[in-house]
Amino acid sequence: MQGIDLPQLEALAAVVDEGSFDAAALRLNVTPSAISQRVKAFETAIGAVLLQRSKPVRVTEAGVPYLRLAQQIRTLVAEATTYGGGDGVVTVPIAVNGDSLNTWVLPALARLSEAMDFDIRREDQGRSAELLRQGVVMAAVTASPDAVQGCSVTRLGIMRYRPMCSPDFRNRWLSDGPSGGALARAPMVVFDRSDDLQDRYLAQWGGPRQPGRRHHVPSSADFAEAVRLGLGWAVLPRQQSAQWEAEGRLVDIAPTTGLDVTLYWQQWKVRTAALARLSDVIVTAARAALD
């Protein structure tokens, strides 16, 4: 630990967690000036810029190993306090894609809610591994089978997406049956501007992609509701659409088609009781919920 000042390390982690120097100051009950001085002194001692002063503040490549160290120390101290008879509670930062969070992950986390706290970052499964690389989270549900440096990987299973819409929407926009052209012209529901699942599905139909109307609905539960209400079509996970389909509120546009996304659990290799318990619960829940 020579050369590492723990209050400076704590300030670095707090700024990244909270997204600003002012918010970090409130969390640590010090002034923004004190936070700024600690970070600047840390950067001077290391000889590198550790934080990108953006909105929100982001860790630089040089700051990643120190952010990881801060997270590891925080977790180990909390566990030592807890198992030493104190009242410390471990906080585990994790990244989860919205569809998994809304269907099978939250019930799994509820089983551990008395044992630990969660700092959940909703992130697309294709980008959640980046939060691991940055040291922002300790574990993530991701679509990448390639282990982030310092992490282990466990295959969780397949989340199967099917093209769904409301019966009225099908009658209006797809009355002649599904086709690449018809789907391209019909209004589409997308999560946000980085959501490419609908486009990936549409590419399976071949032919030129025609620009169509899009509704952006950045909430997993509201996203499915938008499809049910007839705003547009989208690919939905089986876990989210099955009940409404059984009730006749949603229809499968093309039953023999779909999109499969294989999910993986990546976590830091640092051994802590909290991560071990969390991993067991997540893997068990995934095997029950995913294909």
Side-chain angles (χ1 to χ4, degrees):
M1 294 295 295
Q2 185 176 1
I4 299 295
D5 182 278
L6 291 182
Q8 294 174 357
L9 200 64
E10 183 181 38
L12 174 74
V15 172
V16 175
D17 286 347
E18 303 298 330
S20 72
F21 284 77
D22 289 346
L26 286 173
R27 173 171 145 181
L28 298 181
N29 198 28
V30 298
T31 65
S33 176
I35 293 291
S36 180
Q37 290 173 12
R38 289 181 190 180
V39 173
K40 286 181 180 177
F42 198 1
E43 291 177 326
T44 299
I46 299 301
V49 176
L50 304 178
L51 294 177
Q52 177 184 340
R53 272 69 168 178
S54 56
K55 293 184 180 181
V57 175
R58 300 184 184 278
V59 67
T60 65
E61 186 174 352
V64 167
Y66 297 102
L67 181 59
R68 280 198 180 208
L69 178 61
Q71 296 278 27
Q72 291 169 356
I73 291 175
R74 180 188 301 168
T75 301
L76 293 172
V77 168
E79 286 196 347
T81 303
T82 300
Y83 296 114
D87 58 357
V89 176
V90 179
T91 297
V92 183
I94 60 175
V96 185
N97 61 304
D99 289 334
S100 293
L101 187 64
N102 192 55
T103 52
W104 62 273
V105 169
L106 274 182
L109 297 183
R111 302 172 198 165
L112 298 174
S113 60
E114 293 187 7
M116 63 189 75
D117 293 340
F118 301 103
D119 181 1
I120 303 172
R121 311 294 178 99
R122 191 212 62 78
E123 187 58 89
D124 179 80
Q125 64 270 10
R127 302 193 306 276
S128 55
E130 184 58 30
L131 296 182
L132 278 170
R133 293 188 187 93
Q134 295 173 359
V136 174
V137 299
M138 300 175 67
V141 175
T142 175
S144 174
D146 302 321
V148 172
Q149 184 176 7
C151 294
S152 61
V153 181
T154 303
R155 186 181 185 278
L156 295 176
I158 295 172
M159 180 160 275
R160 181 156 292 143
Y161 291 81
R162 297 179 300 151
M164 309 296 292
C165 70
S166 70
D168 288 344
F169 183 92
R170 179 182 61 182
N171 293 338
R172 178 180 179 185
W173 293 95
L174 305 169
S175 58
D176 294 329
S179 67
L183 287 170
R185 288 188 295 272
M188 176 192 297
V189 181
V190 296
F191 194 87
D192 55 26
R193 284 161 181 78
S194 62
D195 177 14
D196 67 345
L197 286 179
Q198 281 64 232
D199 289 315
R200 286 169 55 189
Y201 171 75
L202 195 53
Q204 295 179 5
W205 290 85
R209 170 71 174 93
Q210 301 179 31
R213 296 170 51 194
R214 296 181 181 225
H215 300 287
H216 296 86
V217 184
S219 165
S220 185
D222 294 336
F223 183 94
E225 178 71 359
V227 176
R228 187 189 71 80
L229 291 172
L231 268 71
W233 71 271
V235 290
L236 296 176
R238 170 184 54 78
Q239 297 87 345
Q240 201 172 34
S241 60
Q243 181 175 344
W244 282 344
E245 184 182 15
E247 296 171 353
R249 300 183 182 187
L250 287 177
V251 293
D252 191 336
I253 294 171
T256 60
T257 67
L259 192 67
D260 290 346
V261 177
T262 304
L263 298 177
Y264 301 86
W265 176 249
Q266 294 209 32
Q267 68 176 58
W268 290 0
K269 288 182 179 178
V270 59
R271 294 185 178 275
T272 71
L275 268 181
R277 291 186 65 186
L278 176 59
S279 177
D280 287 344
V281 166
I282 288 292
V283 171
T284 299
R287 287 175 178 165
L290 302 180
D291 294 323

